[in-house]
Amino acid sequence: MTNRSRSFRVPDKPSLDGIEAKWVDVWDESGVYRFDRTKSRDEIFSIDTPPPTVSGSLHIGHAFSYTHTDLVARYRRMCGKSVFYPMGWDDNGLPTERRVQNYYGVRCDPSIPYDPDFTPPAKPDPKRQVPVSRRNFIELCERLTAEDEKVFESVWRRMGLSVDWTHTYATIDDGSRAAAQRAFLRNLARGEAYMAEAPTLWDVTFRTAVAQAELEDRERTGAYHKVAFHRPDGTPVHIETTRPELIPACVALVAHPDDERYRDLFGGTVTSPVFGVEVPVKSHWLAEPDKGSGIAMICTFGDTTDVTWWRELQLETRPIVGWDGRIISDPPPGIDSGAAREAYARLAGATVHTARERMVEMLRESGDLVGEPTPTTRPVKFYEKGDKPLEVVTTRQWYIRNGGRDADVRDRLLARGRELQWHPDHMRSRYEHWVEGLNGDWLISRQRFFGVPFPVWYPLDGDGNPRYEEPIVPDEAALPVDPSSEAPAGYTEEQRGRPGGFTGDPDIMDTWATSSLSPQIAGGWERDEDLFSRVFPMDLRPQGQDIIRTWLFSTVVRAEFENGCLPWRTAAISGWILDPDRKKMSKSKGNVVTPLDLLERYSSDAIRYWAASGRLGTDTALDEGQMKVGRRLSIKILNATKFALSVAGEDAADRPEAVTQPLDRAMLAALAEVVEDATAAFEAYDHTRALERAERFFWEFCDDYLELVKARAYEEGTAESASARAALLQALSVIQRLFAPFLPFTAEEVWSWWREGSVHAAAWPQAAEVRAAAGDGDPAVLEAASAVLRAVRKAKSEAKLSMRAEVERVAVRGKHVARARVAEGDIRAAGRAAALDFEESDAEELSVEVTLPPAAE
């Protein structure tokens, strides 16, 4: 803080109106947030910014969590770091496809040829979607996401995110596709990626595989059906099931090894009702003796427990549910008799629900249904974006090892979780519980269209069948590739789908398989090695708690395999946004609020203030009351700055040595403590405490210090006046910088009235810097003087007197009256006291007695 000539540019009527548009343009033109890639790694702070899903509109939860990230970026930038703060767009995958289908009224049909002149319906009807080719569909996806990205960017700019907009990426752009395909090919070469035909959780609506991380349990009503299987001698063995339609898929019965009721059956067989198929009876520790009859049927496949039993007991497969969620037309092996095939024909082609009703009817007819079904409620697995229960079907899919089947990999990933710095620290346990509870590898293939294709082709044998065990892969230099429209090296397009030719892998990668590489994609991995060496591993991963198991974990997996390290040093986990009824906001619940209306009503800084009031990892309610407080604070900063600058005057000496008076030094000493606390809070990722300390001091500064010193500051030509003016300017400089990360528009506005350059390029205040001006100042002096002034104001208020009214006498008593006495002149002037007496006593707390004019009494 040095003395220099200045001119104040204070508007007559400071206002928040239009402040965002004004400074967004200035920041963009000046490049104040531009990343300086000439800096060394130690001089850089890099952020793995979450790429929001571009499929609709941003909601208030985005504004909340992305503000938290921006607070860190702004603080680190002011601390002298070159901040790498890119923005990505997660624009591929199912959410985008659904939006495109509804927006344009189309659906993808890969069998349809490409139409270069295709125009979407003028009046789209989501219920009567027009079939289009895969290429046409992808073009529509690209068109809509480009428009959505513009809208998202405009909102982020309005919110004041200090993103470097020259560093953006999309998860479907060429760079991202090349990175995702390159990483996959390397995973494949090292044995970390593999293809397998296995039972797969399947969403019948979207007809795609679903990974473990995308599951959620939903309570659904159903019924237990008591059904009789039959021993060789004809005596019944009763099982209870909620899915009788899967009886033709039954491959065994299973009971607990210690269950005496069924021990004589182990190793033998029973026959299924209606179909008469002979199935073995097995023992397994997962069977529950106290559930139902204690013996269960194993079907291929009813749920994930069936899969476990099937795999561990090495049972045969009798699948009956197809990809469309209907019972397949051909009966499975074992259903050979005419009667059995006739019974199966009653189920073929039916939905699961209808097949259940028909199966119950057949069980009644055969006499194998005991009693009536018993209603029950149970948790059912759903795809998080789906509307129907998941089925388990056998499909050929791509997987990446993630520790679900490899203890060594799991231990390595757990060790990485312990190496990572977590804020708040208890979020580490969510990561560990997820890793420890994995029961399979990461399924990364999806049977969708708009995404990163697997860079793989398969040769066809003489009969036109794919030889999956001999995949054809491209050279990395050719990436990205699209096997559905490009031929592999050594083949021509005319050989596609023909015996002796080739076929491309039809699937795309799960969106997390691309997003899990966000540090590599944003950092220029294998594309800009100079940049990559300066930003990777990154310093910070900010994200929501609900995607620890997906985005955070999968990113750790990819970095462990590819880079042998963590992808970042620190993870900052935001809490959820709750609606006014304290329920989590989500699109599925229909209680999501978009931020634009709130931004218009309260200002961007007000919304940021509310967001900053929520600590990491803590759920925060949408509170317009807090936004109003933030708006009042912003307006107060405008008005207080105008007042303080008018009091200080343009010729005030902005030098530490000019501050000579005890009260001024006390104020700066108190401010130094605030700077120290706010800095420590930011370093600990506790932005809320940093805001609380700055805000509390600011209000005390306005209410007490400004009132105490304004009379002295208005004096001309005295050292006491110069001290007040210098202290005011130095305090303003520090306060505005303290608020800059939280209220960037307001802070920039007031800074521009009397400083050159941007407050966001200014140095973060240092406690030592402020203490140098404070000298021997004691914060207790300001506290004592403020307490006396507040007592005088209270007495006037209770007597319904103007704050300008004179008082006859103020008597201050207490053990520490000397602290107030040194500010006697300021207290007398601010309180308009004719007399001010100080008397020492043994009381720790100051007592203040105010004698009002006789007329007032």
Side-chain angles (χ1 to χ4, degrees):
M1 294 183 288
T2 59
N3 185 31
R4 57 182 173 176
S5 62
R6 67 174 68 82
S7 61
F8 293 164
R9 302 169 293 277
V10 184
D12 293 334
K13 295 182 179 180
S15 172
L16 295 178
D17 295 340
I19 197 173
E20 291 94 352
K22 170 185 175 181
W23 289 111
V24 163
D25 289 343
V26 171
W27 292 336
D28 198 40
E29 292 169 6
S30 66
V32 66
Y33 306 132
R34 197 69 50 82
F35 171 64
D36 183 357
R37 62 179 297 157
T38 67
K39 300 293 186 180
S40 67
R41 183 63 186 91
D42 292 341
E43 299 173 293
I44 289 171
F45 188 88
S46 53
I47 302 173
D48 183 18
T49 322
T53 301
V54 190
S55 57
S57 59
L58 290 167
H59 57 76
I60 196 65
H62 289 110
F64 177 77
S65 58
Y66 280 76
T67 294
H68 294 172
T69 306
D70 191 60
L71 297 175
V72 177
R74 290 182 177 278
Y75 167 72
R76 295 293 177 180
R77 191 179 291 111
M78 294 179 74
C79 287
K81 295 286 189 179
S82 177
V83 176
F84 183 68
Y85 186 16
M87 179 60 70
W89 308 116
D90 192 7
D91 46 12
N92 65 38
L94 183 57
T96 298
E97 291 190 19
R98 293 178 71 180
R99 174 159 160 72
V100 168
Q101 288 169 352
N102 293 329
Y103 187 86
Y104 290 114
V106 300
R107 62 179 174 84
C108 182
D109 184 344
S111 66
I112 295 177
Y114 174 65
D115 179 0
D117 300 319
F118 175 76
T119 301
K123 295 182 178 180
D125 183 353
K127 296 182 179 179
R128 294 184 179 180
Q129 296 173 345
V130 177
V132 297
S133 73
R134 178 173 183 157
R135 184 174 167 186
N136 285 123
F137 185 74
I138 290 173
E139 287 177 352
L140 292 176
C141 290
E142 291 171 341
R143 182 194 305 180
L144 189 57
T145 54
E147 293 302 313
D148 285 342
E149 287 165 14
K150 293 176 184 177
V151 174
F152 275 45
E153 181 176 333
S154 68
V155 176
W156 283 149
R157 288 179 181 269
R158 172 72 182 269
M159 279 292 302
L161 295 196
S162 58
V163 165
D164 182 350
W165 291 104
T166 65
H167 283 281
T168 60
Y169 68 90
T171 55
I172 199 62
D173 65 27
D174 284 352
S176 295
R177 286 188 291 127
Q181 290 182 340
R182 183 188 311 117
F184 169 78
L185 290 176
R186 294 186 183 182
N187 291 141
L188 182 63
R190 292 191 295 258
E192 297 149 1
Y194 63 91
M195 174 181 275
E197 186 169 6
T200 305
L201 288 163
W202 187 264
D203 187 283
V204 299
T205 301
F206 301 114
R207 300 193 187 185
T208 186
V210 177
Q212 184 179 351
E214 299 170 307
L215 305 181
E216 64 181 34
D217 285 332
R218 301 179 195 171
E219 290 293 322
R220 286 294 183 269
T221 57
Y224 277 111
H225 304 76
K226 191 171 184 179
V227 176
F229 280 67
H230 301 280
R231 300 174 187 243
D233 63 3
T235 57
V237 177
H238 294 118
I239 62 102
E240 293 187 25
T241 180
T242 59
R243 301 205 60 180
E245 74 278 8
L246 293 182
I247 288 175
C250 179
V251 292
L253 298 191
V254 62
H256 195 278
D258 298 330
D259 195 329
E260 294 287 346
R261 293 172 294 177
Y262 304 110
R263 185 168 291 178
D264 66 314
L265 282 175
F266 297 150
T269 62
V270 294
T271 55
S272 62
V274 178
F275 302 98
V277 177
E278 190 173 296
V279 297
V281 181
K282 301 284 187 177
S283 64
H284 196 280
W285 62 273
L286 279 179
E288 301 175 74
D290 57 349
K291 183 175 181 180
S293 60
I295 190 167
M297 65 175 182
I298 304 173
C299 302
T300 52
F301 296 93
D303 55 24
T304 54
T305 303
D306 277 345
V307 176
T308 300
W309 281 332
W310 166 81
R311 182 179 291 118
E312 295 186 7
L313 296 174
Q314 299 182 352
L315 301 171
E316 61 181 302
T317 304
R318 291 195 181 106
I320 67 166
V321 179
W323 288 17
D324 58 358
R326 294 178 177 272
I327 306 301
I328 59 178
S329 57
D330 294 330
I335 297 182
D336 302 321
S337 71
R341 296 178 74 86
E342 184 177 332
Y344 184 84
R346 294 171 65 178
L347 306 179
T351 64
V352 167
H353 176 78
T354 300
R356 184 176 305 136
E357 293 178 338
R358 293 176 182 175
M359 190 70 238
V360 170
E361 183 181 345
M362 286 188 281
L363 288 169
R364 284 198 179 98
E365 293 170 358
S366 67
D368 292 314
L369 180 66
V370 181
E372 288 301 309
T374 305
T376 186
T377 300
R378 62 194 177 93
V380 177
K381 299 291 182 189
F382 279 76
Y383 175 36
E384 59 188 1
K385 296 181 176 66
D387 300 319
K388 293 183 178 180
L390 291 173
E391 296 294 342
V392 181
V393 300
T394 300
T395 59
R396 189 179 299 276
Q397 304 285 349
W398 283 106
Y399 297 83
I400 289 180
R401 302 186 189 281
N402 65 356
R405 302 186 188 282
D406 301 272
D408 174 64
V409 174
R410 181 170 59 249
D411 291 344
R412 284 159 55 193
L413 297 174
L414 286 169
R416 291 299 184 197
R418 291 187 287 271
E419 183 183 337
L420 183 63
Q421 297 177 39
W422 295 79
H423 295 284
D425 186 67
H426 71 264
M427 290 293 176
R428 183 194 317 272
S429 64
R430 299 195 184 190
Y431 174 90
E432 292 180 344
H433 291 161
W434 172 253
V435 179
E436 290 168 348
L438 287 168
N439 56 27
D441 286 330
W442 177 17
L443 189 156
I444 64 166
S445 48
R446 295 292 181 272
Q447 289 65 53
R448 302 302 301 172
F449 312 108
F450 189 52
V452 178
F454 284 92
V456 177
W457 299 264
Y458 309 101
L460 301 179
D461 63 18
D463 295 324
N465 298 313
R467 300 203 299 268
Y468 292 112
E469 69 282 0
E470 302 174 22
I472 304 168
V473 298
D475 188 276
E476 285 188 7
L479 302 178
V481 298
D482 182 1
S484 68
S485 61
E486 300 173 45
Y491 291 84
T492 64
E493 187 62 32
E494 287 71 26
Q495 293 175 278
R496 182 183 296 274
R498 298 188 177 186
F502 72 93
T503 187
D505 194 303
D507 293 346
I508 63 169
M509 296 183 194
D510 166 27
T511 186
W512 295 114
T514 306
S515 299
S516 61
L517 295 165
S518 56
Q520 291 86 347
I521 291 169
W525 171 58
E526 300 271 329
R527 186 182 74 250
D528 187 340
E529 284 303 297
D530 176 72
L531 174 64
F532 193 66
S533 67
R534 296 175 192 272
V535 302
F536 187 90
M538 293 192 171
D539 293 282
L540 177 64
R541 155 60 72 83
Q543 66 162 70
Q545 57 185 304
D546 52 331
I547 52 174
I548 289 174
R549 71 189 194 279
T550 49
W551 193 36
L552 189 146
F553 173 63
S554 61
T555 311
V556 172
V557 171
R558 305 305 288 278
E560 173 66 16
F561 286 149
E562 188 59 40
N563 309 105
C565 65
L566 278 173
W568 357 258
R569 299 179 175 89
T570 301
I573 312 297
S574 292
W576 282 318
I577 293 301
L578 309 178
D579 67 14
D581 295 327
R582 307 295 297 180
K583 295 178 181 178
K584 178 192 171 188
M585 280 194 178
S586 69
K587 290 182 180 179
S588 62
K589 293 180 180 178
N591 60 349
V592 164
V593 174
T594 56
L596 281 177
D597 176 59
L598 297 171
L599 291 169
E600 292 288 345
R601 281 192 283 148
Y602 299 116
S603 82
S604 297
D605 282 352
I607 307 304
R608 291 174 64 98
Y609 173 87
W610 159 75
S613 300
R615 284 185 165 82
L616 288 177
T618 302
D619 297 344
T620 301
L622 178 64
D623 186 352
E624 293 191 37
Q626 276 287 86
M627 296 174 191
K628 292 176 182 177
V629 172
R631 182 174 177 83
R632 285 198 297 268
L633 173 62
S634 297
I635 293 172
K636 184 66 175 180
I637 291 172
L638 295 177
N639 294 331
T641 299
K642 179 179 180 180
F643 176 72
L645 289 176
S646 70
V647 171
E650 295 186 10
D651 60 345
D654 188 5
R655 302 191 310 269
E657 61 270 22
V659 183
T660 59
Q661 297 304 294
L663 184 64
D664 304 330
R665 290 188 163 194
M667 181 273 292
L668 291 176
L671 182 54
E673 292 181 355
V674 173
V675 170
E676 194 168 59
D677 288 350
T679 303
F682 260 122
E683 291 294 328
Y685 288 86
D686 188 354
H687 52 255
T688 304
R689 174 161 175 76
L691 174 59
E692 289 170 347
R693 290 292 283 122
E695 184 182 10
R696 188 184 314 127
F697 177 86
F698 172 71
W699 286 110
E700 292 171 353
F701 173 82
C702 294
D703 294 343
D704 301 329
Y705 178 75
L706 281 178
E707 290 300 314
L708 284 164
V709 303
K710 68 180 179 182
R712 172 160 54 91
Y714 275 131
E715 295 173 0
E716 294 293 341
T718 68
E720 291 82 3
S721 173
S723 175
R725 295 180 180 192
L728 277 172
L729 293 181
Q730 292 180 58
L732 278 184
S733 173
V734 172
I735 290 169
Q736 289 168 7
R737 284 180 284 159
L738 285 175
F739 279 123
F742 304 101
L743 313 172
F745 295 103
T746 304
E748 189 75 297
E749 176 70 12
V750 295
W751 186 265
S752 73
W753 295 349
W754 68 298
R755 293 286 201 183
E756 298 300 326
S758 172
V759 68
H760 304 298
W764 179 255
Q766 300 296 309
E769 164 195 11
V770 187
R771 286 199 176 94
D776 59 358
D778 181 0
V781 169
L782 176 61
E783 184 179 344
S786 299
V788 175
L789 180 60
R790 285 194 292 269
V792 173
R793 289 195 296 236
K794 180 180 179 183
K796 291 181 180 180
S797 178
E798 290 175 348
K800 298 182 179 179
L801 291 176
S802 164
M803 291 298 115
R804 296 177 178 273
E806 300 280 344
V807 298
E808 286 195 349
R809 177 174 174 271
V810 177
V812 184
R813 298 182 179 85
K815 188 175 182 178
H816 303 294
V817 292
R819 294 172 178 169
R821 184 182 285 123
V822 298
E824 179 178 355
D826 292 327
I827 295 173
R828 180 181 286 113
R832 296 180 179 266
L836 183 57
D837 299 334
F838 297 93
E839 180 182 332
E840 289 191 11
S841 71
D842 294 333
E844 286 291 332
E845 298 291 330
L846 289 180
S847 65
V848 181
E849 181 181 334
V850 181
T851 303
L852 300 172
E857 295 177 341

